Amino acid sequence: MPAKDKKKPKPAKEPDITFFHPDLLEIPADGTAPYLKGYKCKSCGMLDFPKQNICQKCWGEDFEVVSLSRRGTLYSVTDIFIGQAGMETPYIFGYVDLPEDIRIFCQLEGEIGSFTCDQDVELTVGTIRMNREGLPIKSYKFKAVDVEAGI
Ligand SMILES: [Zn+2]
């Protein structure tokens, strides 16, 4: 028997299903599309993201969770080549403007250098970094709108 066959196979790593931003991202159990959670003030109706403790407009403390648009426009984008610990470079950060007049700071999923300002992007769920065991932590990201899919 060759030496390499004596080694026990390493157990396959299970994906980390702990989401980094549970207050911000909803992935419905029924398989429908994930969405970002907006927080709508019950007193004045102001919509905010991410979650705030008090309304920025009226200081109200009660919020209704609403689903935000899955599509937006890329306001700004930066390719990152020297990253933080646990983050495999290169990666892409950007700001996405949603129709609700909310600007989302997020990672973008796609090729380095492939994004341009004002392009249409849509919500997706992907790996944003690795945890200490080297397993992926998933959260919201945005990607280029898949034109060919005709969505
Ligand atoms: Zn308010």
Side-chain angles (χ1 to χ4, degrees), residues 34-68:
Y35 59 87
L36 293 176
K37 293 170 165 179
Y39 290 82
K40 188 174 184 180
C41 175
K42 288 184 177 178
S43 299
C44 75
M46 182 178 170
L47 188 59
D48 212 343
F49 180 94
K51 184 181 182 183
Q52 308 286 338
N53 291 325
I54 58 168
C55 173
Q56 303 295 303
K57 190 174 175 185
C58 78
W59 294 20
E61 296 179 355
D62 292 324
F63 298 91
E64 172 191 358
V65 176
V66 298
S67 60
L68 298 178

Side-chain angles (χ1 to χ4, degrees), residues 3-140:
K4 65 178 180 180
D5 288 343
K6 291 179 181 173
K7 287 185 177 176
K8 285 185 178 177
K10 288 183 180 175
K13 288 185 175 180
E14 293 291 323
D16 189 339
I17 57 168
T18 304
F19 291 99
F20 194 51
H21 296 136
D23 286 344
L24 309 183
L25 173 68
E26 184 67 40
I27 301 179
D30 63 5
T32 54
Y35 59 87
L36 293 176
K37 293 170 165 179
Y39 290 82
K40 188 174 184 180
C41 175
K42 288 184 177 178
S43 299
C44 75
M46 182 178 170
L47 188 59
D48 212 343
F49 180 94
K51 184 181 182 183
Q52 308 286 338
N53 291 325
I54 58 168
C55 173
Q56 303 295 303
K57 190 174 175 185
C58 78
W59 294 20
E61 296 179 355
D62 292 324
F63 298 91
E64 172 191 358
V65 176
V66 298
S67 60
L68 298 178
S69 296
R70 302 189 70 254
R71 281 201 185 186
T73 305
L74 192 56
Y75 170 74
S76 178
V77 58
T78 304
D79 295 333
I80 309 291
F81 292 94
I82 301 173
Q84 299 166 264
M87 297 180 72
E88 190 176 328
T89 55
Y91 54 90
I92 313 167
F93 271 130
Y95 283 100
V96 173
D97 286 341
L98 298 184
E100 293 91 339
D101 198 25
I102 287 178
R103 183 164 288 167
I104 309 285
F105 181 63
C106 59
Q107 282 191 43
L108 295 163
E109 192 159 285
E111 295 295 317
I112 291 292
S114 68
F115 289 94
T116 55
C117 294
D118 296 331
Q119 86 173 76
D120 293 335
V121 289
E122 64 184 354
L123 182 72
T124 187
V125 175
T127 302
I128 57 164
R129 63 177 296 141
M130 299 298 178
N131 70 9
R132 289 180 183 174
E133 285 78 43
L135 297 171
I137 298 174
K138 293 178 184 283
S139 188
Y140 63 91

